[in-house]
Amino acid sequence: MSLEGCGEHLSTSSHLPAEALASCLRRARLYLDAASPTHAYELLQPIVSTSIEGIPERDDRLALVSCYLESCQALRKTKELRVWTPVLRDLLQSAGSVSAEIQVRGTAVLAYILSESGDYPSSLDLCRRMGPDVLAKANPQTAVLILIQTVTPLMRLGNLEEAEAKAAEALELAERYGDRVLWGKTCGQMANVLRIRGRLEESLRFYGKSEQLRRDGGDLTGVVRVLLNRAWLLNRMGLLEQSHATFAQAHKQARQIGHATLILRSALGQGMLAGRCGDWPEARRLLLSCWRMARRMEMPREECLSLEFLGEVMATSGHFGRAHRALNLCRRLADCLSPAGDLVVECYLRFSLLACAESKWPRAEKAARNAIDLASQCGMDWEEAQGWGLLSLALESQGMNDKAEQTALRAQDLLRKMNLGQKADLVSGWRHQLLQANMKTRASEGPSGHFERLDFSRPKPKGAVKAAPKGALTDAQTSMALNPIWNEIGLITGSLPMKRVLEKARRLAEDGAFILLTGETGTGKELVARGIHKLAGRRGRFVPFNCGACPDALIQSELFGADAGAFTGATRNRRGLVREAEGGTLFLDEVGELSPRAQVALLRFLDRGEVKALGSTAIHNIQLGIVSATQKDLPQKLKMGLFRKDLYYRLAQGRIDLPPLRNRLEDLALLIRHLWNHHGAGSALPKGLVEEAGLLVFREHSWPGNIRELDHFVRALRLRFNGIGNGASFDPAVIREMLLDSALKPSPVAIERPSRDRVVSALAAAGGNRSRAAKMLGISRQMVYRILR
């Protein structure tokens, strides 16, 4: 009987010849292996729609139901899944003498269905029943499938050590088997495990390999899955623009192939990012839609994630009652899925965020500690770092500054271990959103608005006599004593975040580590490098070298020296800056500008500590400290292959991210006073310049040039007021005019459309004033509205 005649035969009889059934099953298996479940479903549905009792062989019945359910799961046929999943379970329990190949494949299908429905313990128990003796009798491809299905419940239940071991075993088998799609699946599972464990760079590499293998094998559904996972990883690394673009790409491809599950997951990611970027109405719309869709499709994990992100959006936008309802429902679902898994950790983090938004600091502290403990048990470093960040915020707001400082350093150390910087600190973004929402609500409701509690100011101690004068430093700012060396070199600060940065620099300097300083132009990287040199107690000189200002052909001779006649123009022997800095510190400014050739030469010196001048045979052993600095995004250059990874890891034994001036505006009074006196004595500060009314004008400016821009502005301000005489009063309108004149205005041709994140940051710096934010960004007010929409 031909395959085309199967449907006609079934209409009159429930018996199907064994040969025709075997042909149907082989063909359905080919469709499923080729990631084409629709054709498999259309082929098998007429067969299973009649009674399968007429099929005498157990192997055939089990293989038929397994293939049919695999196609139903891929197509989210919930009604069929509800009917046939118990049938598959019963067939497996009464399998008896069924062949190992069919038994293992059926077990893999059932384990996947249970895992997708959130029943992780049952899924794991089912996979563990397939011992090594059974797997040895099955095909290598089938053995890999059961190992892949074992990894997911292990991850969800928090057993990451075993999950990584199983993923590695599956990866080895799949590579040996040679199926590119299967190999791509195992790479993707390994990447998922590494992402949860906080090894993000490794995870990114495995995602790239998985995408390539699946694309080569024609698995378009698998490609979309990898894109989604990579988008979540980019979000975790703090790269929101790249994450948004990847989610959009995944959503587009998911709609093209008509995969409902992947459409839901990509929309969920877009809703989460809308909330992180401050577009709360759009986030609420998307997440509510995802929640309803997940309930309709019976996908409890996606339902739980929708509620989790919805609670986050409600908390940061000030709708506390809705946030409580969403998070309580999320917690109940998470407990049902896995009481000690990753979803519960995420719930604890959002409960702590909500308590922070309500200024219920003891409750925030308790929830943060629960998240830290559970994340530590599960090996979830990224979640643990966010828990330490929230705990630091709760402790600081209760006046426990020393403990807050220690917990903040724990968070920074965990992020540094994962090669992540401030962009990946989710807590900082939450705090910014809460303050921004507080500012907008105050403007619309007045001082008596319910959102007043988002001020993050600590409660006043009992018996407080009176408030500190305007412009004075708070207890939190003065609680940490800094080494006097920072004042000696002219690095003045009173802000707690900057003090933490300098304290970290002191510890790294005393450890003798090679240090990489990152930050925008003008943030004081060279001053910090000089301070590190002094704190390290080195007897040699501090020798700066700007890698971006030196021609590529001369970098090696500048660094390592050259003998006379080594090249055209070398008329005398040069020692080189490395030898000049012997026993001291070599400061490599703009190290990201080094050419590949110069990177190789520098790496060779760092590995061996040996210097050989150009044209010379003499080798010198040199001991010195190295501090590097860059305003470039070196991790991005690493991914693009423009900077050597081995050189990066040697230079960044300790990494310090310097905050821009707009993130430490509390230092403005100190800095203006210091810079005014630094440019010469003889005239007093204009009256009111460093009081609240005067500082308000300075806070309106975005300071793209940071401290260097402020220095030039104070110099110009001093020249303007020198002829007026001591004690002159300043005029805010004059200051605003000078700030506008000093700002760099790009030509219309050079204006680049800013990202949404930049617009949101500018709005926050401008106090919600869209016209002022547009001036800061050099764009029109209409463009600000368009970008926000």
Side-chain angles (χ1 to χ4, degrees), residues 554 557-558 561-575 614:
L554 299 179
S557 61
E558 285 290 319
D563 281 2
F567 54 86
T568 304
T571 57
R572 58 187 179 86
N573 292 342
R574 292 175 59 87
R575 281 168 53 86
L614 293 176

Side-chain angles (χ1 to χ4, degrees), residues 180-181 183-184 187 208-218:
R180 299 188 75 79
V181 173
W183 191 5
C187 286
K209 189 172 183 180
S210 175
E211 182 185 359
Q212 187 61 50
L213 288 167
R214 289 184 165 201
R215 201 177 292 279
D216 291 347

Side-chain angles (χ1 to χ4, degrees), residues 685-698 727-730 732:
L685 276 167
K687 290 178 181 177
L689 184 65
V690 291
E691 294 180 3
E692 192 62 30
L695 293 175
L696 184 62
V697 182
F698 285 90
S729 296
F730 86 103

Side-chain angles (χ1 to χ4, degrees), residues 119-234:
D119 191 356
Y120 303 126
S122 299
S123 176
L124 182 59
D125 181 59
L126 202 63
C127 292
R128 281 179 168 164
R129 290 181 193 172
M130 298 293 100
D133 52 335
V134 179
L135 293 178
K137 297 175 184 176
N139 290 334
Q141 182 183 18
T142 313
V144 172
L145 285 174
I146 200 72
L147 287 171
I148 290 174
Q149 298 309 329
T150 311
V151 173
T152 301
L154 285 170
M155 280 194 302
R156 303 308 182 204
L157 294 170
N159 194 345
L160 298 182
E161 291 279 351
E162 189 178 351
E164 186 175 351
K166 291 290 183 183
E169 186 180 347
L171 193 62
E172 185 180 352
L173 271 175
E175 190 172 359
R176 195 185 310 156
Y177 184 72
D179 185 323
R180 299 188 75 79
V181 173
L182 193 63
W183 191 5
K185 286 182 181 178
T186 57
C187 286
Q189 278 288 57
M190 177 61 83
N192 293 336
V193 178
L194 295 174
R195 183 187 73 199
I196 295 177
R197 301 206 71 177
R199 288 151 59 184
L200 305 186
E201 293 289 342
E202 294 177 65
S203 178
L204 208 57
R205 288 197 294 273
F206 272 106
Y207 279 138
K209 189 172 183 180
S210 175
E211 182 185 359
Q212 187 61 50
L213 288 167
R214 289 184 165 201
R215 201 177 292 279
D216 291 347
D219 182 8
L220 298 181
T221 304
V223 170
V224 178
R225 291 183 190 276
V226 175
L227 286 173
L228 283 172
N229 286 324
R230 181 187 291 159
W232 287 109
L233 176 58
L234 291 169

Side-chain angles (χ1 to χ4, degrees), residues 346-624:
E346 297 281 359
C347 280
Y348 277 132
L349 290 175
R350 269 68 183 185
F351 274 120
S352 181
L353 165 67
L354 177 56
C356 287
E358 296 177 300
S359 295
K360 296 178 179 177
W361 306 114
R363 186 185 296 176
E365 179 184 348
K366 182 180 179 182
R369 290 189 186 278
N370 288 337
I372 291 166
D373 292 341
L374 190 53
S376 178
Q377 292 171 19
C378 298
M380 299 163 64
D381 288 349
W382 190 84
E383 285 78 4
E384 186 181 350
Q386 309 312 322
W388 285 115
L390 284 166
L391 180 59
S392 173
L393 177 58
L395 293 172
E396 180 185 338
S397 301
Q398 295 178 80
M400 293 180 260
N401 298 317
D402 291 338
K403 290 183 179 179
E405 177 197 343
Q406 293 170 6
T407 53
L409 290 174
R410 290 284 295 272
Q412 291 172 14
D413 288 342
L414 278 169
L415 291 172
R416 182 176 55 80
K417 265 199 291 184
M418 293 182 279
N419 293 320
L420 294 176
Q422 292 177 346
K423 286 183 178 180
D425 186 1
L426 183 58
V427 176
S428 298
W430 281 339
R431 181 171 187 167
H432 173 75
Q433 285 183 324
L434 293 174
L435 290 173
Q436 184 183 355
N438 187 21
M439 180 172 55
K440 288 181 179 177
T441 309
R442 284 183 177 181
S444 61
E445 295 186 3
S448 60
H450 77 282
F451 226 101
E452 187 73 19
R453 50 191 161 178
L454 285 183
D455 195 18
F456 283 104
S457 56
R458 294 199 312 277
K460 294 180 182 178
K462 293 180 180 179
V465 181
K466 58 181 179 179
K470 291 180 179 179
L473 298 177
T474 64
D475 292 339
Q477 291 170 320
T478 56
S479 60
M480 188 191 300
L482 289 177
N483 194 296
I485 281 177
W486 299 115
N487 277 333
E488 291 174 16
I489 65 173
L491 211 158
I492 309 297
T493 187
S495 72
L496 192 57
M498 189 63 184
K499 283 187 173 185
R500 288 173 178 158
V501 166
L502 299 183
E503 180 61 18
K504 181 179 180 180
R506 180 193 63 79
R507 289 187 288 107
L508 290 173
E510 292 174 355
D511 290 344
F514 289 172
I515 299 170
L516 175 66
L517 305 175
T518 61
E520 298 176 8
T521 180
T523 49
K525 294 189 287 293
E526 184 166 352
L527 274 181
V528 174
R530 289 183 183 275
I532 289 170
H533 168 69
K534 288 181 175 290
L535 289 166
R538 298 190 178 100
R539 286 182 257 174
R541 295 170 50 200
F542 176 84
V543 179
F545 174 64
N546 192 318
C547 303
C550 183
D552 183 39
L554 299 179
I555 284 181
Q556 283 188 266
S557 61
E558 285 290 319
L559 284 176
F560 307 117
D563 281 2
F567 54 86
T568 304
T571 57
R572 58 187 179 86
N573 292 342
R574 292 175 59 87
R575 281 168 53 86
L577 295 178
V578 171
R579 291 187 64 189
E580 292 291 338
E582 185 172 7
T585 301
L586 177 65
F587 175 55
L588 299 173
D589 197 10
E590 296 305 332
V591 72
E593 301 292 342
L594 284 175
S595 67
R597 183 180 174 189
Q599 291 176 37
V600 171
L602 182 59
L603 180 63
R604 188 181 298 118
F605 162 66
L606 295 177
D607 282 341
R608 302 178 183 177
E610 297 176 349
V611 172
K612 184 167 75 73
L614 293 176
S616 172
T617 57
I619 295 177
H620 303 275
N621 290 311
I622 303 294
Q623 296 292 325
L624 78 170

Side-chain angles (χ1 to χ4, degrees), residues 186-383:
T186 57
C187 286
Q189 278 288 57
M190 177 61 83
N192 293 336
V193 178
L194 295 174
R195 183 187 73 199
I196 295 177
R197 301 206 71 177
R199 288 151 59 184
L200 305 186
E201 293 289 342
E202 294 177 65
S203 178
L204 208 57
R205 288 197 294 273
F206 272 106
Y207 279 138
K209 189 172 183 180
S210 175
E211 182 185 359
Q212 187 61 50
L213 288 167
R214 289 184 165 201
R215 201 177 292 279
D216 291 347
D219 182 8
L220 298 181
T221 304
V223 170
V224 178
R225 291 183 190 276
V226 175
L227 286 173
L228 283 172
N229 286 324
R230 181 187 291 159
W232 287 109
L233 176 58
L234 291 169
N235 167 68
R236 181 163 289 197
M237 297 171 77
L239 305 172
L240 298 187
E241 289 186 26
Q242 294 95 314
S243 177
H244 185 273
T246 310
F247 271 126
Q249 182 184 357
H251 190 71
K252 181 179 178 181
Q253 293 192 19
R255 293 184 72 86
Q256 286 174 350
I257 62 177
H259 201 295
T261 302
L262 299 182
I263 292 171
L264 168 61
R265 288 172 179 167
S266 57
L268 180 60
Q270 290 176 315
M272 175 272 301
L273 275 179
R276 299 267 165 93
C277 295
D279 191 350
W280 293 310
E282 177 67 7
R284 182 174 178 274
R285 183 189 68 80
L286 282 170
L287 292 172
L288 279 173
S289 175
C290 288
W291 175 54
R292 296 187 187 106
M293 190 175 176
R295 292 187 69 185
R296 189 167 62 250
M297 295 172 64
E298 297 182 8
M299 298 176 66
R301 182 173 178 82
E302 283 67 21
E303 185 181 348
C304 194
L305 287 171
S306 302
L307 291 167
E308 174 189 307
F309 295 132
L310 192 60
E312 176 184 322
V313 169
M314 294 296 108
T316 50
S317 59
H319 299 87
F320 301 140
R322 295 176 184 175
H324 275 291
R325 288 194 293 274
L327 290 177
N328 284 329
L329 182 54
C330 175
R331 177 62 197 275
R332 288 198 293 272
L333 274 170
D335 281 336
C336 291
L337 293 174
S338 172
D342 58 329
L343 289 174
V344 177
V345 177
E346 297 281 359
C347 280
Y348 277 132
L349 290 175
R350 269 68 183 185
F351 274 120
S352 181
L353 165 67
L354 177 56
C356 287
E358 296 177 300
S359 295
K360 296 178 179 177
W361 306 114
R363 186 185 296 176
E365 179 184 348
K366 182 180 179 182
R369 290 189 186 278
N370 288 337
I372 291 166
D373 292 341
L374 190 53
S376 178
Q377 292 171 19
C378 298
M380 299 163 64
D381 288 349
W382 190 84
E383 285 78 4

